Amino acid sequence: MKKDTLIVEGLAGKKSLNGEVRINGAKNAALKVMAASVLFDGPMKLMNAPHTEDTNRVAELITILGGSVVIDKKEITIDASSIDSTDLDPDLARSMRSSVLLTGPMLGRYGKVKFPVPGGCVIGARPIDLFISAYEKLGAEVKLESSKGGDQYAITAKKLKGAEIFFNLQTVTGTETIMMAAVLAEGKTVLRNCAMEPEITSLAEFLNSCGAKIHGAGTTTITIGGLGSGGLLKAKHAYETIPDRVETGSFLLLGVLCADNLKITHCNPEHIEVLISHLRESGANIIVTKDTIELRDNAKLKNSSLKPFNIRTHEYPGFSTDLQAPMTVFLTQVGADEINPNSGARGESIVFETIYEGRFKYVSNLEKLGAQLTVMNPREILVKGGASLKAPEPGEELEAYDIRAGFATIMAALVAKGTSVIKNAYFIDRGYENIEGRLAALGADVRRVHADEQPEIVI
Ligand code: EPU
């Protein structure tokens, strides 16, 4: 893991960012389509793909299996037809939960796959029990094997057979992975209580345009007419990666706090409707077109006149857990004397996390910056608005704990006065491409210190 550091010069509460930011293709859409390459009879291509550490790692996993991956600017071409192994590289697979996406297409096409039992990750336990029970319902045999490097699943199926599967809770990658496995199963599969994220719909639409028979993606019931393991898909055209809704929401939250005139382009505002609705009710003036979001003369809007409110994370179309940390930063800045319409409390907001049990680690960063918040329990934070943030003392560093916590920490450091150091920029790179360059283009002073230059950090 590269241990780069980011140095952030705070804007000391000034709303001085200006300009345009172009939203990249969604990492969480590209990763799924990359895994789907295994369902194709030859090369397939993604356009508008983001350059993130996570997409690089899936590329590496496919390459180690024997497939060919060519990344050229925003295009990724994958030919999985040369795959000659069905064992996912254990270290690589363990380091990224989304590697489990490959198991569905592998099982559908080759009738077997081996992969490590995923450990917990920094945001929570992240089990895969729902994947495993779905594979069993599709007729696969699941064995748990012990090896020197750790336990691994060995899953085999002479033929996957269509089945009725009910997910006990809505899982995004679970829905996608089992949907992909079912494309090459024999007979009809019905998935119920499916997640409804736009990335799932986009994946299904692309697979359908290449020969799959998937109905209902984007609703809680998805039906897949299996093509059998020989019914490989044909890449009739390239996949156009949909805009990253979490990136869009991240820049919008940052913009309301720190920008005067900001235009977010190449996005899909419909995918962050709940965020826009909360921000407008809080007092922000947000101008939306089909594919842009704009703040104009936003510096006139004092953060102290924004109203506090409560959020509760939820599956799509509810408030995304991936925007929970940036939203907490936002809520530290709303008016201390403004009334929270949800509770009647003055200057106070509640953030309630329903998806993960460990997504509050970043709070320690915000406390170091002087934010006033209390973690009530592992799911709930009480945030006091109106905090004036200040960079930690020299020598005291902030840390990116996961992708979104990392962005939230940059946001807080930008709001603050003084120079902050954020360790482990790698986590931010897993989801946001060239974050320092894109913020610099808006007028922020965010510099990267590469791991091998670390001793020279002076602040
Ligand atoms: N869950 C289980 N068992 C399972 C599967 C899931 O208990 O077999 C639980 C999880 O532990 C979690 C909940 O179900 O508590 C929802 O998890 P889900 O499976 O939906 O999450 P995911 O598919 O692993 C994707 C995104 C995450 C995002 C979540 C929730 C990708 C690659 N990842 O994860 O994105 O937070 O959905 O929307 O699509 C990120 O981009 O920073 C990120 C973490």
Side-chain angles (χ1 to χ4, degrees):
M1 197 203 294
K2 290 185 292 166
K3 298 228 169 194
D4 291 1
T5 294
L6 294 177
I7 315 280
V8 180
E9 293 298 333
L11 303 169
K14 288 198 202 76
K15 294 191 166 191
S16 55
L17 300 184
N18 278 291
E20 277 192 22
V21 59
R22 181 189 172 126
I23 296 304
N24 286 322
K27 150 187 102 80
N28 288 348
L31 291 174
K32 326 307 169 61
V33 176
M34 291 176 79
S37 64
V38 174
L39 303 173
F40 284 76
D41 68 350
M44 51 88 79
K45 196 187 267 190
L46 285 80
M47 315 284 277
N48 191 33
H51 285 282
T52 62
E53 286 292 331
D54 276 13
T55 44
N56 288 343
R57 278 207 247 174
V58 170
E60 215 180 314
L61 270 170
I62 296 174
T63 310
I64 295 173
L65 290 170
S68 119
V69 183
V70 179
I71 301 180
D72 180 16
K73 299 200 181 88
K74 299 261 170 205
E75 289 180 24
I76 305 180
T77 307
I78 309 180
D79 187 350
S81 58
S82 53
I83 283 182
D84 54 10
S85 163
T86 52
D87 299 356
L88 299 193
D89 180 84
D91 291 336
L92 206 51
R94 212 175 278 114
S95 69
M96 184 180 53
R97 179 191 159 87
S98 31
S99 56
V100 72
L101 283 157
L102 276 163
T103 64
M106 300 284 293
L107 198 58
R109 179 162 184 173
Y110 303 109
K112 56 180 181 166
V113 65
K114 257 189 206 178
F115 60 100
V117 174
C121 84
V122 71
I123 60 178
R126 307 191 83 182
I128 57 161
D129 53 312
L130 302 174
F131 297 65
I132 298 298
S133 82
Y135 285 146
E136 286 174 334
K137 290 194 180 111
L138 290 168
E141 191 187 345
V142 179
K143 283 195 186 140
L144 197 53
E145 297 177 345
S146 302
S147 76
K148 257 202 315 211
D151 291 346
Q152 56 178 0
Y153 284 111
I155 308 189
T156 47
K158 272 206 185 91
K159 273 179 191 167
L160 287 182
K161 292 214 173 69
E164 297 246 345
I165 294 164
F166 184 89
F167 292 113
N168 286 348
L169 50 82
Q170 290 188 345
T171 157
V172 178
T173 35
T175 301
E176 292 159 333
T177 305
I178 305 307
M179 183 174 91
M180 290 192 278
V183 165
L184 297 186
E186 309 234 309
K188 182 167 122 182
T189 297
V190 182
L191 307 178
R192 294 192 205 283
N193 198 25
C194 295
M196 300 189 286
E197 272 62 8
E199 294 76 21
I200 301 174
T201 316
S202 174
L203 171 67
E205 282 170 358
F206 175 62
L207 298 182
N208 282 345
S209 69
C210 298
K213 295 195 174 113
I214 303 170
H215 298 281
T219 74
T220 56
T221 302
I222 300 180
T223 307
I224 304 114
L227 305 171
S229 56
L232 296 178
L233 304 182
K234 299 197 184 317
K236 297 196 178 130
H237 57 95
Y239 171 72
E240 185 68 32
T241 312
I242 59 170
D244 194 315
R245 65 195 159 92
V246 185
E247 203 179 83
T248 309
S250 303
F251 279 107
L252 179 58
L253 280 160
L254 172 69
V256 176
L257 289 186
C258 299
D260 187 14
N261 292 295
L262 175 73
K263 190 168 183 182
I264 302 173
T265 69
H266 299 82
C267 61
N268 185 341
E270 267 181 27
H271 291 168
I272 55 161
E273 212 174 334
V274 61
L275 172 66
I276 293 173
S277 164
H278 273 307
L279 292 177
R280 280 182 171 153
E281 282 171 22
S282 175
N285 181 19
I286 300 170
I287 302 148
V288 166
T289 68
K290 201 170 122 290
D291 57 2
T292 64
I293 301 177
E294 219 178 321
L295 299 170
R296 286 188 206 146
D297 292 329
N298 182 57
K300 278 196 198 136
L301 171 76
K302 298 276 163 270
N303 290 340
S304 58
S305 69
L306 292 165
K307 285 197 205 63
F309 52 90
N310 298 346
I311 61 146
R312 195 181 172 87
T313 62
H314 196 279
E315 292 84 3
Y316 187 83
F319 190 86
S320 167
T321 171
D322 295 333
L323 288 170
Q324 179 253 107
M327 178 55 96
T328 301
V329 176
F330 177 87
L331 293 171
T332 66
Q333 296 305 300
V334 299
D337 291 324
E338 298 294 324
I339 301 282
N340 177 333
N342 307 126
S343 62
R346 211 171 267 275
E348 283 182 0
S349 308
I350 302 272
V351 172
F352 198 95
E353 171 60 53
T354 67
I355 311 288
Y356 297 114
E357 73 277 15
R359 230 178 180 183
F360 291 159
K361 261 190 119 177
Y362 66 91
V363 165
S364 62
N365 289 332
L366 305 191
E367 283 170 340
K368 282 184 192 166
L369 288 159
Q372 293 169 33
L373 18 68
T374 311
V375 176
M376 312 290 282
N377 59 58
R379 301 264 180 193
E380 197 173 6
I381 317 178
L382 174 70
V383 188
K384 289 207 167 144
S388 75
L389 304 186
K390 190 165 160 287
E393 293 302 314
E396 205 180 356
E397 293 170 336
L398 308 173
E399 184 163 348
Y401 292 107
D402 76 74
I403 305 174
R404 313 304 169 187
F407 185 89
T409 304
I410 298 182
M411 246 176 98
L414 279 171
V415 169
K417 188 171 173 195
T419 310
S420 299
V421 177
I422 305 176
K423 285 196 306 187
N424 276 340
Y426 173 80
F427 276 111
I428 302 167
D429 301 337
R430 285 188 60 174
Y432 299 89
E433 177 182 337
N434 181 23
I435 192 65
E436 68 277 20
R438 295 163 80 201
L439 290 171
L442 298 176
D445 184 350
V446 179
R447 281 164 289 142
R448 179 177 295 259
V449 180
H450 292 279
D452 46 9
E453 302 162 8
Q454 299 277 333
E456 289 164 31
I457 300 177
V458 183
I459 61 164

